[in-house]
Amino acid sequence: MTLFNLAGKTAFVTGASGGLGQAMAIGLAEAGANVIAVSSSESVQTVESIRALGGKAELIAADLSNEDILEDVVNRAVGIYGGIDILVNNAGIIRRTPAVDHSREDWHDVIDLNLNSAFFLCQLIGRHMIERGSGKIVNIASMLTYQGGINVPGYTASKHAIAGVTKALANEWAGKGIQVNAIAPGYMTTNNTAPILKDEKRTQSITERIPAGRWGSPEDLKGPVVFLSSGASDYMNGHVLCVDGGWMAR
Ligand code: NAD
């Protein structure tokens, strides 16, 4: 299992206070990584769970949609364990309103966090990785990287763009020892999808379309994120890995 071993590595995981980010942070810690859990929430649940497992974790509470603070957040994070080996750009929000009613505020809020903060964190941490000659970046995409969705135009734009950024950076940085890839989760049970889960009919029709016959759980991303953060994926660049119970295969 040495290929997947992350002992001595430090992972910077955004949106790590709950949902997919929390499970991925814990999965990376289980594989041996120190974790810097970055989130708008002050919740210490993720770092406490990691410490309870015998791992090392620190919390940085920050609103990542504010571009002006990102450099400071990264500098603070680098100072904690002396470097960053893995960046997981997971923090994301969704606003559900039809395109004709989609407000400028909703559009900008989604793009600011899901796309702009993800790109600027790639840039800031990428510079640091280039200096060190190695690094792993995992961006979190979506089924709406491929499909249009309904009533979520800003979110769809951000998730299509995340795949483009992943490929663009992979091309520039593959030769510098940095692998930039993405995970596209299918329908997973988190706060993000809670409004859909309240609608029994819609939930049932989605479940029927998933070949695996169930929604994903946050824990379903542990293996894929460890894989893309470890030496096991050293020859993967610019790939978007669907973890979707077969949704895209259908
Ligand atoms: P979630 O709402 O449970 O978690 C979102 C996380 O982002 C939380 O930790 C929250 O504190 C953090 N966050 C929100 N705004 C922030 C800000 N301004 N600054 C810093 N952190 C902020 O949602 P989730 O389902 O776990 O979503 C995680 C990622 O996965 C998102 O990028 C989402 O688009 C993506 N995704 C989710 C699904 C799904 O089915 N749940 C499917 C595909 C993709």
Side-chain angles (χ1 to χ4, degrees), residues 10-241:
T10 295
F12 180 107
V13 183
T14 72
S17 66
L20 306 183
Q22 180 176 61
M24 289 191 285
I26 293 171
L28 292 166
E30 285 167 346
N34 305 324
V35 170
I36 300 167
V38 189
S39 173
S40 53
S41 157
E42 303 268 352
S43 164
V44 290
Q45 207 192 337
T46 304
V47 297
E48 283 184 349
S49 302
I50 291 171
R51 289 176 188 159
L53 292 167
K56 283 192 193 163
E58 291 294 333
L59 168 76
I60 296 183
D63 174 2
L64 296 174
S65 62
N66 179 358
E67 282 169 32
D68 297 333
I69 64 163
L70 297 182
E71 190 163 4
D72 177 55
V73 168
V74 170
N75 288 340
R76 276 168 63 198
V78 168
I80 294 175
Y81 299 115
I84 298 172
D85 304 283
I86 300 156
L87 163 63
V88 181
N89 260 319
N90 163 79
I93 53 172
I94 190 163
R95 295 280 162 80
R96 293 186 173 86
T97 37
V100 286
D101 300 323
H102 217 70
S103 68
R104 286 186 187 198
E105 192 187 359
D106 280 350
W107 177 271
H108 288 297
D109 285 353
V110 169
I111 297 291
D112 281 349
L113 181 65
N114 297 14
L115 177 59
N116 295 345
S117 91
F119 172 72
F120 290 119
L121 286 173
C122 284
Q123 185 184 57
L124 288 162
I125 296 176
R127 284 182 192 139
H128 164 83
M129 290 173 169
I130 288 167
E131 264 175 36
R132 292 156 62 101
S134 67
K136 299 273 181 184
I137 297 179
V138 184
N139 293 321
I140 301 305
S142 165
M143 293 296 95
L144 300 190
T145 291
Y146 305 97
Q147 301 170 329
I150 300 162
N151 297 339
V152 288
Y155 183 84
T156 300
S158 74
K159 294 299 183 180
H160 272 63
I162 271 296
V165 166
T166 299
K167 292 171 195 173
L169 298 182
N171 290 340
E172 287 196 38
W173 297 347
K176 300 181 191 297
I178 297 156
Q179 289 80 49
V180 188
N181 292 292
I183 291 173
Y187 283 88
M188 323 290 282
T189 49
T190 67
N191 287 341
N192 174 298
T193 49
I196 304 179
L197 285 159
K198 279 188 196 144
D199 180 342
E200 261 180 48
K201 248 180 150 180
R202 177 119 192 260
T203 301
Q204 193 191 342
S205 82
I206 290 170
T207 310
E208 281 167 3
R209 195 197 174 284
I210 302 171
R214 67 169 177 92
W215 286 44
S217 75
E219 284 68 30
D220 285 316
L221 291 191
K222 282 184 174 181
V225 79
V226 168
F227 170 54
L228 289 179
S229 300
S230 72
S233 58
D234 276 353
Y235 199 55
M236 284 181 72
N237 302 88
H239 186 72
V240 184
L241 184 66

